[in-house]
Each structure stands twice: as C-alpha cells, then as structure tokens.
Amino acid sequence: MLNLVLFGPPGAGKGTQAIRLAEKFNLVHISTGDILRQEIASKTELGRVAGELIDKGELVPDDVVISMIESRLKKPRCTVGFIFDGFPRTVAQALAFDKLLMKHHSKVSVMLCLVVDKGELVERLHKRGLTSGRGDDLETTTIEHRIDIYNEKTSPLIKYYESQGKYFPIPGMGTIEEITESLIHTIEKFNTKPIAVTSK
Ligand code: ADP
C-alpha cells in the first residue's frame, strides 16, 4: 500500500497537486479540508463547530480529524493506496495516524513537502479568496494567522518524518505542471516496486 502524505503550508498547492497525483498513481485522495467543508455545506453539527474555527484560521481539534480519517480508512475499498492532503497537521495527529495505519498493517510511505515562500503563499491565498468563496482566504490577518499556526504546530512534523527518513522537500514554486513532474519523479524514485491493485 502506497501512503503518501502531501505536506506544506496553506496555499502551497497541496489540493491541486493531490488531485493530479491521485489520478496518476490511482490513489484515493483524502483531504481533511474538503471533508470539513462538506460538513459545513451539509450544515451538520460538526460543520458548525468546524466552520467557526476554520473562519478564524484555527485548527479543528485533533480528535475530530483523527476520527474522520479513521472512518475513511475503515471503508473497505480496492486501491493501491492513499494520498493524504492536509493531514496530519500536528504531532498528535501524526502519532495517532501511525497507530491507526499499524492497525491496518500499513504505514506512511513518504512525506512530500511543498516548499513555497511566505510572500507567494499570501498572494496565492488572497487570489483564491476572490473566487473560492472560502472565508479563511479573505482577510490578511486570517491568512497570516494560518501561516503562523503552520509554523508553530504543523512544521514540527518535518522533523518527525525526517527522523524516519520519509521527508522529501519539493520546490512548490513554478508552474503546476513542473511541480507535478517533480513530485512524480520523487515518488517514482522512491516507489521502485511495481504498483499492483490489491484489495484490503
Ligand atoms: P489550507 O491548507 O489551504 O489551509 P485546507 O483545505 O487543508 O486548506 O484546510 C482548511 C482548514 O481546515 C484549516 O485551516 C483548518 O482549520 C482545517 N483543517 C483541515 N485539515 C485539518 C487537520 N488535519 N487538523 C486540524 N484542522 C484541519
């Protein structure tokens, strides 16, 4: 099972690249941000609580996102693997994730980190805010706050995966196609085994 973690700050392009990689390698794409936005759109209680936090640029509590991932991994499906986009985002989430994968006799294969300058991130998020309708992309203070939270709570995961030899930084500046190519190159170098469809 190929389990890719696509990592990077808000606005790094994880969502865009995850969709392209999922298609290329036949992976199931799991985005915690997308799942939370679906909950908000469906006006569930979880969506209401999450929506308030997301609009302020805060993270949603670890136990909430962990159980979202748990329920998705439980679903029986036929796949060669998964691409996780926006998860894990804290050390507690990464620890819980490892335990969860172990229960499924699996593990994180590789963590690909998109590296983008802060100035470029702020610019991209502002631009996205104009068309996405995402409240968390509109205000400069919220955008800055999300980047601060990334630096404080999420970036420690780089050390976590680096110590396991799983951290691969990838330049996230350039065209979408160039970045996809770099990601594919790294995955193919790493994933030397032929990919066979297996059912869980
Ligand atoms: P971005 O990476 O551009 O911030 P996402 O769609 O990944 O966008 O996430 C949007 C928001 O959803 C985050 O700012 C956060 O509030 C919440 N969220 C998404 N994933 C997680 C997670 N793993 N843990 C906590 N909160 C999360």
Side-chain angles (χ1 to χ4, degrees):
M1 188 68 64
L2 185 63
N3 290 312
L4 305 180
V5 170
L6 193 55
F7 193 82
K14 300 183 294 290
T16 307
Q17 297 297 337
I19 292 168
R20 296 169 71 95
L21 295 177
E23 198 174 316
K24 165 85 185 165
F25 293 101
N26 260 312
L27 304 171
V28 173
H29 174 205
I30 297 184
S31 156
T32 41
D34 285 352
I35 299 168
L36 291 166
R37 281 185 289 276
Q38 280 158 18
E39 295 283 341
I40 296 169
S42 311
K43 298 197 175 357
T44 62
E45 177 56 17
L46 166 59
R48 191 189 60 74
V49 176
E52 281 178 19
L53 291 164
I54 291 174
D55 280 347
K56 284 192 271 182
E58 300 290 338
L59 294 181
V60 171
D62 289 334
D63 54 339
V64 172
V65 281
I66 291 162
S67 58
M68 278 172 9
I69 294 288
E70 193 166 13
S71 70
R72 268 150 189 90
L73 288 183
K74 260 192 212 149
K75 267 200 221 164
R77 53 180 128 208
C78 192
T79 181
V80 292
F82 294 87
I83 181 157
F84 296 90
D85 153 13
F87 179 88
R89 236 174 167 103
T90 62
V91 172
Q93 288 180 21
L95 290 168
F97 189 35
D98 281 350
K99 266 199 199 159
L100 200 58
L101 288 173
M102 220 192 288
K103 268 207 267 178
H104 290 264
H105 309 287
S106 196
K107 57 186 171 29
V108 169
S109 314
V110 60
M111 187 266 233
L112 301 153
C113 177
L114 292 170
V115 182
V116 178
D117 293 351
K118 184 175 172 190
E120 169 89 8
L121 294 175
V122 175
E123 205 176 295
R124 286 186 193 177
L125 291 169
H126 265 307
K127 227 197 238 169
R128 186 169 76 183
L130 298 175
T131 53
S132 68
R134 278 180 57 168
D136 57 343
D137 286 342
L138 285 173
E139 301 286 335
T140 307
T141 46
T142 314
I143 290 176
E144 298 263 352
H145 185 57
R146 283 161 63 202
I147 296 173
D148 289 346
I149 298 239
Y150 170 82
N151 289 330
E152 184 195 328
K153 296 193 172 150
T154 308
S155 68
L157 286 180
I158 291 176
K159 283 239 154 37
Y160 181 80
Y161 287 109
E162 196 173 24
S163 69
Q164 301 176 21
K166 293 179 179 174
Y167 164 67
F168 290 82
I170 309 284
M173 318 266 280
T175 66
I176 289 176
E177 290 76 18
E178 282 164 357
I179 299 162
T180 309
E181 278 311 309
S182 310
L183 288 162
I184 290 175
H185 183 69
T186 304
I187 296 165
E188 282 179 340
K189 225 175 19 177
F190 167 82
N191 187 66
T192 48
K193 279 175 256 145
I195 297 179
V197 179
T198 52
S199 63
K200 287 202 320 140

